[in-house]
Amino acid sequence: MIGLAAVVRENELVRQADRCRAMGSPFVASVLEAADRQLVRAPLTAAKVRNWPGDPAAAAVALRINGALHALARRGAPAYLSELYRREHDDFDGAVATAFTQADQFIADWIRHPTQTNEVARTAAIMSALMATPVARAMPFELLELGSSCGLNLNLDRYAYTLGSVTAGDPRSLVRIAPEWRGPPPPARLVSVTTAHGVDLQPLTVADPAHRERLLSFAWADQPARSKRLEKALQVAAQHPPQVDQGHAATWLADRLAEPQDAGCCRAVVHAMVLQYLNTEERKEIAALMATAGARASAERPLVWIGFEWTLDRRDVELRLTFWPTGVSTVLARCHPYGDWLEWLGPDAMAEEFHPGFRPE
């Protein structure tokens, strides 16, 4: 049988399966390959895939389907799918076909909404960039996050990190993040966050069981460490609820950047795996807002822009930092998409390039 997804939208399910296998998730890869072969059994879902507006890869349509199947498995229905996820058999095609046949409407509804991974392992990169921000003297950060999902990354200073030979964050934290580190460590520098505020088109709330379940369904089923870390981050968020507004990124950012900035505080705009969901005009608008705000920045009121995003050709994920008032932009690291590893590209040279005479504290 030729999979319908192989005919429509240029075989996106199979392409994503290859990427998942390369990122260490053979189970999810097999699920997506079976989904490609069996999608004809889910006419409502197939129609949405076939008629998807825009780029299905940028919208992560395949991962939306994977999240829907994982959600069904976690609910225990259909039973044959749940048994596959518990590794009680390896009939991927049979289990996925059963799910498509019995739960087509559920899956079609699920994929209308964007992926909501809120992978907190990515905060190791964001924390490293904050540590490397070349302010002239030690100062706290005002954190503004675009595409916050449930806001778990806004609690980044409440997690414990091992970043090569450097530790950071709260050593007592339930959430411990230690990516495979390649290259020199980031500057050993204390990061303090005074305020943390985010925005999302469809924010999730840690207090809502359905929202927590949605997040857990997007964690890959054969990577239990991710699920455990996510559960612990949700526990932290229950004690320290993140502040996330509903809204469009550019509109919200314009309002936040217009607000007064305290002297002696660095304003930090951060985002992780968000730009791919914005169109060209939205990305240009955000860049223009940052440039305008950067022109107002000073040594006493600096601005930093930190992005953890795919390159335009989607070959690499880069951690990029742009700092004002100097306006210098640099790639700090190359990263695994979910934060499993990070290749640091040299913070000491970067800091000197940014701000002559700066030395990490």
Side-chain angles (χ1 to χ4, degrees):
M1 179 187 300
I2 299 176
L4 181 57
V7 178
V8 299
R9 309 310 292 179
E10 302 180 37
N11 217 7
E12 178 55 28
L13 289 171
V14 171
R15 287 210 307 270
Q16 183 60 54
D18 292 341
R19 289 191 287 266
C20 290
R21 187 169 280 110
M23 288 189 283
S25 184
F27 181 88
V28 171
S30 295
V31 167
L32 290 175
E33 288 163 345
D36 174 70
R37 294 186 290 266
Q38 302 300 328
L39 189 55
V40 67
R41 300 177 185 275
L44 297 176
T45 301
K48 284 191 177 296
V49 174
R50 181 170 57 248
N51 300 312
W52 196 267
D55 182 0
V61 171
L63 294 180
R64 297 184 193 209
I65 292 174
N66 175 64
L69 292 169
H70 193 189
L72 288 168
R74 289 177 61 88
R75 296 178 183 201
Y80 199 53
L81 182 72
S82 295
E83 291 162 4
L84 172 70
Y85 276 74
R86 293 197 299 268
R87 313 303 195 274
E88 294 175 9
H89 65 78
D90 60 359
D91 181 10
F92 285 87
D93 279 83
V96 171
T98 300
F100 279 159
T101 301
Q102 296 183 13
D104 186 18
Q105 185 67 65
F106 173 87
I107 298 168
D109 290 341
W110 179 282
I111 67 173
R112 290 171 48 240
H113 304 285
T115 57
Q116 295 273 14
T117 53
N118 212 169
E119 176 52 71
V120 294
R122 294 170 180 158
T123 60
I126 304 299
M127 173 61 79
S128 300
L130 292 173
M131 294 164 70
T133 298
V135 289
R137 61 181 178 83
M139 60 178 63
F141 291 92
E142 170 198 333
L143 208 60
L144 301 174
E145 186 187 24
L146 308 181
S148 294
S149 186
C150 196
L152 302 184
N153 291 358
L154 293 170
N155 278 330
L156 63 83
D157 60 327
R158 294 187 168 94
Y159 306 150
Y161 303 90
T162 300
L163 310 169
S165 58
V166 170
T167 58
D170 181 357
R172 301 164 298 178
S173 179
L174 292 173
V175 180
R176 313 196 73 80
I177 303 173
E180 177 190 336
W181 197 270
R182 304 171 186 176
R189 186 160 175 247
L190 179 66
V191 169
S192 64
V193 176
T194 56
T195 62
H197 198 174
V199 67
D200 198 275
L201 268 178
Q202 299 179 44
L204 303 183
T205 304
V206 68
D208 188 327
H211 288 186
R212 294 196 301 272
E213 180 59 26
R214 187 170 185 85
L215 281 176
L216 290 164
S217 296
F218 277 114
W220 290 356
D222 54 349
Q223 296 184 349
R226 285 181 62 192
S227 297
K228 291 178 181 177
R229 184 169 55 234
L230 176 57
E231 289 171 346
K232 291 178 180 178
L234 288 168
Q235 291 180 47
V236 172
Q239 297 178 6
H240 304 280
Q243 185 178 357
V244 182
D245 297 330
Q246 190 280 326
H248 290 272
T251 303
W252 180 88
L253 181 61
D255 291 340
R256 300 289 79 74
L257 292 175
E259 294 173 351
Q261 178 179 347
D262 291 339
C265 183
C266 182
R267 179 169 282 172
V269 176
V270 304
H271 48 82
M273 294 306 198
V274 172
L275 296 187
Q276 64 182 328
Y277 299 112
L278 305 181
N279 62 39
T280 301
E281 290 306 312
E282 290 171 322
R283 292 194 293 270
K284 288 181 178 179
E285 185 176 0
I286 288 172
L289 287 169
M290 294 301 298
T292 299
R296 300 193 300 265
S298 66
E300 278 300 297
R301 292 178 175 84
L303 174 68
V304 63
W305 183 9
I306 298 168
F308 178 102
E309 301 286 350
W310 284 107
T311 55
L312 289 178
D313 60 9
R314 295 182 66 83
R315 290 180 180 272
D316 294 296
V317 174
E318 292 180 341
L319 176 66
R320 177 174 287 276
L321 184 152
T322 305
F323 179 77
W324 289 276
T326 64
V328 175
S329 182
T330 192
V331 175
L332 294 179
R334 287 185 286 269
C335 311
H336 182 277
Y338 291 103
D340 292 357
W341 57 262
L342 188 151
E343 181 186 359
W344 193 253
L345 301 177
D348 294 330
M350 184 280 302
E352 183 66 23
E353 173 191 358
F354 265 134
H355 211 296
F358 168 78
R359 292 292 183 271
E361 298 181 3

